[in-house]
Amino acid sequence: MVKFCLQCKNAFWGGRYCPKCEGEILLLDAAEPENQKYLGELNIDVRPKYYARSSMLLTCFGFIMALPLGAFVFLRGMAHSGNVPLWASIGVATVVVISWGAWFLSRVLFDKQMEKVEDAKELQLD
Ligand SMILES: [Zn+2]
């Protein structure tokens, strides 16, 4: 949950009061629709964090799905003919292509989303 302080314009992970400002300045939840009008005023841009997370999920999904798909291609091929080197190489190629493709696509997706983010603000990437 991303929260932000209207006084110092910083964003934080959760919490009730701003840890940087003196006194008890309430933090506002960035996800609440009534607070989203303030997001443009913040010194920190949290969008890169969410874009990076989307890309990581896509990469992770590709890496996880590549192995079963490669094994499926190998086993289906072996059911038709007993050519082990052929179907093993096609299966391995499937794993490599899907993993690399997911990684490449996530990079393209991240770069495309980041085009909208101007770097006038501090980008929150941690
Ligand atoms: Zn503050």
Side-chain angles (χ1 to χ4, degrees):
M1 175 193 309
V2 175
K3 291 196 161 188
F4 61 93
C5 172
L6 267 187
Q7 191 165 305
C8 63
K9 313 284 187 193
N10 280 305
F12 307 96
W13 283 112
R16 185 165 165 79
Y17 301 109
C18 179
K20 289 192 174 179
C21 293
E22 292 288 321
E24 293 187 337
I25 309 294
L26 270 178
L27 293 176
L28 300 174
D29 190 341
E32 297 287 329
E34 68 265 23
N35 293 335
Q36 290 186 348
K37 61 177 178 277
Y38 300 119
L39 292 181
E41 302 171 18
L42 298 181
N43 294 329
I44 286 178
D45 203 326
V46 295
R47 288 177 295 176
K49 186 194 297 282
Y50 292 103
Y51 296 157
R53 188 174 293 170
S54 310
S55 296
M56 279 191 294
L57 278 175
L58 179 61
T59 307
C60 187
F61 183 75
F63 275 60
I64 288 172
M65 292 311 290
L67 194 60
L69 273 171
F72 174 76
V73 167
F74 173 71
L75 291 174
R76 289 290 290 191
M78 289 300 290
H80 288 287
S81 73
N83 194 344
V84 176
L86 172 72
W87 290 111
S89 57
I90 291 176
V92 168
T94 305
V95 171
V96 169
V97 165
I98 290 176
S99 301
W100 184 83
W103 174 74
F104 180 78
L105 274 179
S106 67
R107 178 70 204 197
V108 168
L109 177 73
F110 182 72
D111 287 344
K112 189 165 175 54
Q113 288 174 320
M114 285 298 285
E115 283 173 7
K116 292 180 286 184
V117 179
E118 64 285 348
D119 53 1
K121 296 178 178 184
E122 186 185 327
L123 302 181
Q124 195 173 22
L125 292 165
D126 60 333

